[in-house]
Each structure stands twice: as structure tokens, then as C-alpha cells.
Amino acid sequence: MEEYLKSVFIKPDNENIKIWRFMGVPKYLSLLDNQDLYFSSATKMDDNFEGILPKGNVESQNIQYDKMGFSPADKKLARENSDNVKKMCLVNCWHMNDYESDTMWGKYVKDDVGVVIQSTFKKFESIFSENPDVRIGIIRYIDFDTEKIPEDNFYHVFLHKRKQFTGDQELRAITRYKTDSNPVSEEELDSITGRSVKINLNQLIEKIYVSPTSPSWFLELIKSITIQFGITAPVEESSLAKKPDY
């Protein structure tokens, strides 16, 4: 099973590649206070195609349903089951890049003050090494109109996105809302937004940077708060805020 999942959850070529998670101040304070990572339901993501099969897969699926004699009610039930899987699939997303990204600052920090925590794939993978309920893989970007994805594992649909999102260079950790076999009521399914997973932040975080547009006092404030919560990673000015010294 583990060997098979390696073909589903593909690792980056460089295990030491830097990964980044950009956030506003409230989310950073929550991260420090709770010492956990929040996994959001796939239904709460901004992309309307999140958890949706490409066009070619849907067409093949409909042909197969017709061959099996599915009635309209059967097809509706199959779609509802797929929607329920999407509700219970929880994701935590990171940007892979050897360098800080101005584009990602603009996308995830909407005001002048924010924070990015920087780690590496190797560190990220290691903090979940004893948690078999969390899987990690890179996102693969395809043309949803002309390409298909594998259908041998339901996780594939959460590990493929449209080419329009290629710039995200996304690494994604995935878990489930419930990891036991107990049934989930329809009411509970409709209320799922996500859940938190406890981690060791000092094992995860390599560096912390403040947003390039933040005032000078903000750097000192984030340094002070970070130390108060026992985080040993250095807090630094964004490289995008630096001026040439030559």
C-alpha cells in the first residue's frame, strides 16, 4: 500500500526545497497559540474546480454508468457520494519556491502587515512521519478540457489543478475529517469546515519573514510575540523590502 501511495502523493525532486505559508496576523497568532496547522475542507477553497474531475474523466464516467445501466437516480446518488468525499477531504497548502514570492504576498496578505513561515519539504514531511492519517504530495497542473487524471485513487482529484494555477507551485498535505469508520450524518457533513492537527512548530519552522510593506516597528513586534510563544526560528525582514547596497 505504501509503495502504491507513493505514485499518488508525489514528492518534489528536491527534498530540501523551501516551502512557504503566507498569512495575516490573526492566523499567525492562532498558529502560535494553538501550536497546530489548520486543514480546510476542500469545499472551502477558492477554486471552483477544487475536487472536480476534468471534462474527459466525467465523459468516460458517464459512458461507464450507461453501460452499467445506471438510472438518473443512480447517477445522482453517485454524484452526491462524490460531493460527500469532497466535504470530508481536508487540505493544508504551501508554496514551493527557493525564493520568497511577491505574487504570493499579494495573493494571501491583503493589507500592509503579514507573515510568512518558511520551512522545507523535508521538515514538513518529518513532522507527520508518525501520523499515517496525513499524506503529502505536490499538485500536478493539467488542462481540464483536454487531459484526464488517474481514477485508481480518490485522492488524485485533490492533487490535480488547472494549468491556470501553475504559478502557485503548490505542495499539499491531505487528511480526512474523520479517520475512523463511524458514519457521518448529513447534518454533520454540511457543517464541516476543517480541523486542526497538532504539530511541533520548532521542528517545522526554519525562518519567519514579515511582509515587505510592513512598517519598521512591525518586525520588532513579531519578534517579541514569537519569542513569547517559545519559537526559536529567527524573524527577519522580507528580502523584497531590502535596498541595493552596491
Side-chain angles (χ1 to χ4, degrees), residues 119 123-124 126-127 200-205:
S119 184
K123 286 179 179 288
F124 191 53
S126 70
I127 65 169
N200 185 322
L201 289 179
N202 279 322
Q203 288 183 7
L204 171 66
I205 302 175

PDB file of all heavy atoms in Angstrom, residues 119 123-124 126-127 200-205:
ATOM      1  N   SER A 119       9.673  26.822   5.679  1.00  0.00           N
ATOM      2  CA  SER A 119      10.189  25.526   6.107  1.00  0.00           C
ATOM      3  C   SER A 119      10.814  24.858   4.884  1.00  0.00           C
ATOM      4  O   SER A 119      11.138  25.519   3.893  1.00  0.00           O
ATOM      5  CB  SER A 119       9.071  24.672   6.710  1.00  0.00           C
ATOM      6  OG  SER A 119       9.558  23.458   7.220  1.00  0.00           O
ATOM      7  N   LYS A 123      11.431  18.940   6.301  1.00  0.00           N
ATOM      8  CA  LYS A 123      10.951  19.223   7.650  1.00  0.00           C
ATOM      9  C   LYS A 123       9.448  18.983   7.742  1.00  0.00           C
ATOM     10  O   LYS A 123       8.945  18.421   8.722  1.00  0.00           O
ATOM     11  CB  LYS A 123      11.266  20.677   8.035  1.00  0.00           C
ATOM     12  CG  LYS A 123      12.729  20.958   8.365  1.00  0.00           C
ATOM     13  CD  LYS A 123      12.926  22.433   8.707  1.00  0.00           C
ATOM     14  CE  LYS A 123      14.373  22.748   9.067  1.00  0.00           C
ATOM     15  NZ  LYS A 123      14.734  22.199  10.375  1.00  0.00           N
ATOM     16  N   PHE A 124       8.721  19.433   6.722  1.00  0.00           N
ATOM     17  CA  PHE A 124       7.269  19.282   6.706  1.00  0.00           C
ATOM     18  C   PHE A 124       6.879  17.808   6.734  1.00  0.00           C
ATOM     19  O   PHE A 124       5.987  17.396   7.473  1.00  0.00           O
ATOM     20  CB  PHE A 124       6.721  19.966   5.451  1.00  0.00           C
ATOM     21  CG  PHE A 124       5.232  20.121   5.427  1.00  0.00           C
ATOM     22  CD1 PHE A 124       4.559  20.720   6.469  1.00  0.00           C
ATOM     23  CD2 PHE A 124       4.493  19.706   4.322  1.00  0.00           C
ATOM     24  CE1 PHE A 124       3.175  20.888   6.441  1.00  0.00           C
ATOM     25  CE2 PHE A 124       3.128  19.870   4.276  1.00  0.00           C
ATOM     26  CZ  PHE A 124       2.462  20.463   5.340  1.00  0.00           C
ATOM     27  N   SER A 126       8.677  15.372   7.869  1.00  0.00           N
ATOM     28  CA  SER A 126       9.124  14.724   9.111  1.00  0.00           C
ATOM     29  C   SER A 126       8.145  14.942  10.262  1.00  0.00           C
ATOM     30  O   SER A 126       8.008  14.071  11.126  1.00  0.00           O
ATOM     31  CB  SER A 126      10.518  15.217   9.505  1.00  0.00           C
ATOM     32  OG  SER A 126      10.487  16.563   9.931  1.00  0.00           O
ATOM     33  N   ILE A 127       7.470  16.104  10.303  1.00  0.00           N
ATOM     34  CA  ILE A 127       6.569  16.351  11.435  1.00  0.00           C
ATOM     35  C   ILE A 127       5.329  15.461  11.389  1.00  0.00           C
ATOM     36  O   ILE A 127       4.640  15.289  12.402  1.00  0.00           O
ATOM     37  CB  ILE A 127       6.153  17.827  11.553  1.00  0.00           C
ATOM     38  CG1 ILE A 127       5.323  18.258  10.344  1.00  0.00           C
ATOM     39  CG2 ILE A 127       7.349  18.734  11.756  1.00  0.00           C
ATOM     40  CD1 ILE A 127       4.660  19.608  10.535  1.00  0.00           C
ATOM     41  N   ASN A 200       4.702  20.186  16.119  1.00  0.00           N
ATOM     42  CA  ASN A 200       5.788  20.862  16.828  1.00  0.00           C
ATOM     43  C   ASN A 200       6.306  21.977  15.913  1.00  0.00           C
ATOM     44  O   ASN A 200       6.991  21.711  14.930  1.00  0.00           O
ATOM     45  CB  ASN A 200       6.902  19.864  17.159  1.00  0.00           C
ATOM     46  CG  ASN A 200       7.995  20.486  18.011  1.00  0.00           C
ATOM     47  OD1 ASN A 200       8.367  21.646  17.830  1.00  0.00           O
ATOM     48  ND2 ASN A 200       8.532  19.720  18.950  1.00  0.00           N
ATOM     49  N   LEU A 201       5.967  23.219  16.241  1.00  0.00           N
ATOM     50  CA  LEU A 201       6.340  24.336  15.375  1.00  0.00           C
ATOM     51  C   LEU A 201       7.851  24.517  15.274  1.00  0.00           C
ATOM     52  O   LEU A 201       8.364  24.912  14.227  1.00  0.00           O
ATOM     53  CB  LEU A 201       5.698  25.631  15.884  1.00  0.00           C
ATOM     54  CG  LEU A 201       4.181  25.750  15.709  1.00  0.00           C
ATOM     55  CD1 LEU A 201       3.696  27.080  16.283  1.00  0.00           C
ATOM     56  CD2 LEU A 201       3.783  25.632  14.244  1.00  0.00           C
ATOM     57  N   ASN A 202       8.570  24.234  16.356  1.00  0.00           N
ATOM     58  CA  ASN A 202      10.027  24.398  16.314  1.00  0.00           C
ATOM     59  C   ASN A 202      10.690  23.380  15.396  1.00  0.00           C
ATOM     60  O   ASN A 202      11.774  23.631  14.863  1.00  0.00           O
ATOM     61  CB  ASN A 202      10.625  24.326  17.715  1.00  0.00           C
ATOM     62  CG  ASN A 202      10.493  25.644  18.463  1.00  0.00           C
ATOM     63  OD1 ASN A 202      10.633  26.710  17.877  1.00  0.00           O
ATOM     64  ND2 ASN A 202      10.199  25.580  19.747  1.00  0.00           N
ATOM     65  N   GLN A 203      10.043  22.244  15.212  1.00  0.00           N
ATOM     66  CA  GLN A 203      10.567  21.261  14.269  1.00  0.00           C
ATOM     67  C   GLN A 203      10.225  21.641  12.833  1.00  0.00           C
ATOM     68  O   GLN A 203      10.916  21.247  11.893  1.00  0.00           O
ATOM     69  CB  GLN A 203       9.999  19.874  14.576  1.00  0.00           C
ATOM     70  CG  GLN A 203      10.558  19.247  15.848  1.00  0.00           C
ATOM     71  CD  GLN A 203      10.014  17.847  16.082  1.00  0.00           C
ATOM     72  OE1 GLN A 203       9.323  17.281  15.232  1.00  0.00           O
ATOM     73  NE2 GLN A 203      10.309  17.289  17.247  1.00  0.00           N
ATOM     74  N   LEU A 204       9.167  22.429  12.672  1.00  0.00           N
ATOM     75  CA  LEU A 204       8.702  22.790  11.333  1.00  0.00           C
ATOM     76  C   LEU A 204       9.353  24.058  10.797  1.00  0.00           C
ATOM     77  O   LEU A 204       9.861  24.081   9.667  1.00  0.00           O
ATOM     78  CB  LEU A 204       7.183  22.979  11.345  1.00  0.00           C
ATOM     79  CG  LEU A 204       6.564  23.572  10.061  1.00  0.00           C
ATOM     80  CD1 LEU A 204       6.719  22.610   8.889  1.00  0.00           C
ATOM     81  CD2 LEU A 204       5.091  23.918  10.287  1.00  0.00           C
ATOM     82  N   ILE A 205       9.335  25.118  11.591  1.00  0.00           N
ATOM     83  CA  ILE A 205       9.691  26.443  11.075  1.00  0.00           C
ATOM     84  C   ILE A 205      11.196  26.644  11.015  1.00  0.00           C
ATOM     85  O   ILE A 205      11.908  26.433  11.992  1.00  0.00           O
ATOM     86  CB  ILE A 205       9.057  27.547  11.946  1.00  0.00           C
ATOM     87  CG1 ILE A 205       7.538  27.395  11.975  1.00  0.00           C
ATOM     88  CG2 ILE A 205       9.431  28.922  11.394  1.00  0.00           C
ATOM     89  CD1 ILE A 205       6.842  28.374  12.917  1.00  0.00           C
TER      90      ILE A 205
END
